[in-house]
Amino acid sequence: MPELPEVETVRRRLAPVLVGRRLDRVAIGDPRLVRPRDPAEAAAELEGETVAALERRGKYLVVRFERDLVLLIHLRMTGSLQHAPGGRLEDDPHLRAVVTLDDRSDVIYRDVRRFGTWEPFDAAGAAAHLAVRLGPEPLGRAFTPSFLSSRLDGRSTPVKAAILDQRTVAGLGNIYADEALWHAGIHPLRPAGELRRDESKALRDAVREALLRGIGWGGTDLGDGVIDAAGVSELKAYGRGGEPCERCGTPIARAVVSGRGTWFCPRCQGRTARRSRSVLPRSHL
DNA sequence: AGGTGGACCCGAACGC
DNA sequence: TGCGTTCGGGTCCACC
């Protein structure tokens, strides 16, 4: 599932082939992609425009054009973008759009479940659209411990639900939410408002760590899960039910938290707050 | 207002 | 083997 690390990987891969290029032809095969707009009309709006920058905000890919035009692409669950230097790839039942660049190469959009969206805006409209939906970039300066605390304080909702809210932090999805909570040693069902200050600080650091790890794996095949050279999952918690926790050996447990499959270590992610994450020998206490 | 649960999709995984 | 059923995931929206 494309979360921040996957979208960032796509951005890095496509920026060199897209920036400075003109869109010669845009073919939108699935009306859902630009709904409620008319596909032909949306395509015509993009044709002839030159890409000035390819940016990312949360899970959105932001295609900025030289004219006052911005295309916000959201891959949702199964969307993917691929460059085809030799022109359109072989027939694919899940191909939803093809953009032909002025160097004759194609950028292909495929999306099995058709949840993804392409939304053209002027620059101000795009900024407003993002501003009401997204909180700070997790890897930026604005994602401070006090900001995170301000988003958790006084709330009874499970902390996992709170960090999945894109206004709390932009770009976290189900996988990296579980990973971040594992790194921080925090139970996903803990009421958000009950986290102590040191815990929300640890959670902020853990969100960054989980996402940076994900960006580091960026080269691995998207959608196949993240596996190392030996074919072993790099993930610490997500999807690892029954396997021993890497920290303490306790089998990873599964629960449903606000409707999402959730994996965590029932021992080192305790339900109740602990004094410290640090594991000191008894003689030091 | 905050929290919850369903809708949107469709392939994969599962159950009989 | 083959069929029907369930699941999941991000976001929006209706409802409590």
Side-chain angles (χ1 to χ4, degrees):
Chain A
M1 279 56 61
E3 301 182 29
L4 184 152
E6 289 72 27
V7 179
E8 178 60 20
T9 299
V10 169
R11 189 196 69 76
R12 291 179 185 182
R13 198 168 57 219
L14 284 185
V17 304
L18 218 42
V19 174
R21 300 254 76 104
R22 191 183 66 235
L23 275 47
D24 270 358
R25 191 171 128 71
V26 177
I28 295 171
D30 179 5
R32 277 195 60 93
L33 194 56
V34 293
R35 208 168 59 176
R37 310 201 37 174
D38 175 67
E41 194 181 286
E45 191 174 346
L46 296 168
E47 283 179 356
E49 300 301 326
T50 299
V51 178
L54 186 61
E55 302 165 2
R56 180 194 55 73
R57 180 79 173 86
K59 301 173 195 169
Y60 286 87
L61 212 47
V62 181
V63 189
R64 205 170 290 282
F65 294 91
E66 289 181 355
R67 193 168 67 84
D68 183 18
L69 175 69
V70 173
L71 177 64
L72 295 183
I73 297 180
H74 200 302
L75 305 174
R76 281 305 217 287
M77 294 163 54
T78 52
S80 67
L81 286 161
Q82 199 179 340
H83 186 228
R88 182 197 290 245
L89 301 171
E90 71 279 3
D91 269 349
D92 178 344
H94 304 305
L95 196 65
R96 308 299 181 197
V98 178
V99 174
T100 304
L101 305 176
D102 60 357
D103 64 356
R104 314 296 245 158
S105 71
D106 285 335
V107 172
I108 306 273
Y109 178 78
R110 73 186 299 270
D111 189 351
V112 173
R113 293 185 193 167
R114 304 167 65 211
F115 277 9
T117 53
W118 285 22
E119 300 174 279
F121 290 96
D122 60 27
H129 186 85
L130 296 175
V132 298
R133 288 171 175 77
L134 303 181
E137 281 296 312
L139 303 176
R141 305 193 66 124
F143 185 50
T144 59
S146 18
F147 179 83
L148 180 57
S149 292
S150 75
R151 291 283 313 174
L152 303 181
D153 285 350
R155 304 195 41 200
S156 62
T157 201
V159 61
K160 176 167 175 181
I163 61 171
L164 280 174
D165 184 335
Q166 300 297 294
R167 290 166 300 180
T168 301
V169 55
L172 211 57
N174 199 40
I175 294 172
Y176 293 98
D178 280 2
E179 293 301 289
L181 290 166
W182 183 90
H183 283 290
I186 293 172
H187 195 292
L189 279 170
R190 291 270 304 283
E194 289 181 11
L195 264 63
R196 289 188 325 262
R197 186 74 179 178
D198 64 305
E199 291 179 307
S200 53
K201 165 79 165 72
L203 182 54
R204 183 202 68 141
D205 293 345
V207 165
R208 295 191 185 209
E209 180 178 359
L211 293 173
L212 285 170
R213 279 169 53 81
I215 291 171
W217 308 321
T220 64
D221 234 359
L222 295 175
D224 275 2
V226 188
I227 52 174
D228 68 11
V232 176
S233 172
E234 298 266 20
L235 299 171
K236 305 292 191 184
Y238 182 87
R240 307 202 62 162
E243 297 178 44
C245 169
E246 197 175 288
R247 266 194 308 252
C248 74
T250 305
I252 297 292
R254 184 182 188 277
V256 175
V257 179
S258 46
R260 304 276 166 256
T262 299
W263 287 267
F264 62 100
C265 172
R267 183 165 167 196
C268 43
Q269 294 173 257
R271 270 237 191 220
T272 51
R274 284 174 303 150
R275 279 215 60 75
S276 167
R277 275 257 293 108
S278 64
V279 183
L280 294 175
R282 279 212 163 273
S283 57
H284 289 242
L285 298 174

